[in-house]
Amino acid sequence: MWPYPKIVAHRGGGTLAPENTLAGLRAGLAYGFHAVEFDVMLSRDGIGMVVHDPEFGRTVDGQGSVAQTDAIDLSNMDAGSWFGPAFRDEPVPFYTQFIDYCKAQRIWMNVEIKPADGVEAATGAWVARITRDNYAAELASGDPASYPLLSSFSYAALAAARDTAPELPRGYLLDTIPADWQEQARQLAVVAIHTNHKHLNAELAAQIKAAGYGLFCYTVNTPERAREILAWGVDGFCTDRIDLIGPAFA
Ligand code: G3P
Ligand code: MG
């Protein structure tokens, strides 16, 4: 059974606000979303920051990289102007700011561990430790919908998260499903497979569900496709089009 929300706002507020910002979380809430996916990467000084690209230039104004910049400096960079002048100086958030906001607003989090090259295990361990420490009461409650689901494309990051905080559930992100997916999923002790809906079909979906895993898709942006994959047994998905696909979509 899938104990988590079915429809999740991708990167904060999808296409309605600059991705991976607090403005994105506010946009999601404005559309009724209490479920969000976002990306966490470590700064030079080893602090988890909410950002997708390892290099600046697309969403964060400037040159350089997240892994070569201290957290305090990242938190003063402009991650909003690319989206529109109204978002100028919207900063790169600390992961802990996202935790605080989501707890206060009762937003469920799918935290994607997005390590820069070479720091996969460190990133997975950091995210797992901080998440566990911030959700101790929720973890003790035994209600999985009250604490986050971690996910990553990185096997090493998920292995480190598993070793650091085995009690936090994990999803394995796979762009395409490899032949040995079940062996990897077993080793990582994940609860779910998160996959690109473009490479999924009804047969694969049925295999994953029959093996007892949750099945989550990214990033589904039309209601027609959403209906199709849900009919295959997909448990949930994230969307950029929070304006077209609402939190109660069925
Ligand atoms: O977690 C699902 C999805 O966010 C994975 O791809 O590149 O948008 O982080 P990406
Ligand atoms: Mg992501």
Side-chain angles (χ1 to χ4, degrees), residues 91-152:
V92 178
F94 288 91
Y95 174 43
T96 50
Q97 285 179 287
F98 260 45
I99 291 177
D100 292 346
Y101 189 89
C102 288
K103 286 189 102 166
Q105 300 293 341
R106 301 194 161 275
I107 299 172
W108 178 78
M109 309 193 307
N110 169 205
V111 184
E112 185 188 339
I113 305 165
K114 197 73 138 180
D117 286 347
V119 287
E120 289 82 1
T123 310
W126 189 94
V127 170
R129 178 170 60 82
I130 296 297
T131 307
R132 178 198 59 205
D133 291 352
N134 278 276
Y135 283 88
E138 289 83 357
L139 280 162
S141 81
D143 172 12
S146 71
Y147 47 85
L149 172 64
L150 309 183
S151 59
S152 190

Side-chain angles (χ1 to χ4, degrees), residues 10 37 39 52 112 114:
H10 186 228
E37 185 271 358
D39 309 290
H52 182 278
E112 185 188 339
K114 197 73 138 180

Side-chain angles (χ1 to χ4, degrees), residues 2 6 200-202 205-206 208-210 213-217 226-236:
W2 181 256
K6 184 164 71 173
L200 188 67
N201 57 50
I208 293 165
K209 290 308 302 170
Y213 290 92
L215 179 56
F216 184 83
C217 283
R227 271 184 215 103
E228 185 174 24
I229 63 165
L230 289 173
W232 294 344
V234 167
D235 294 301

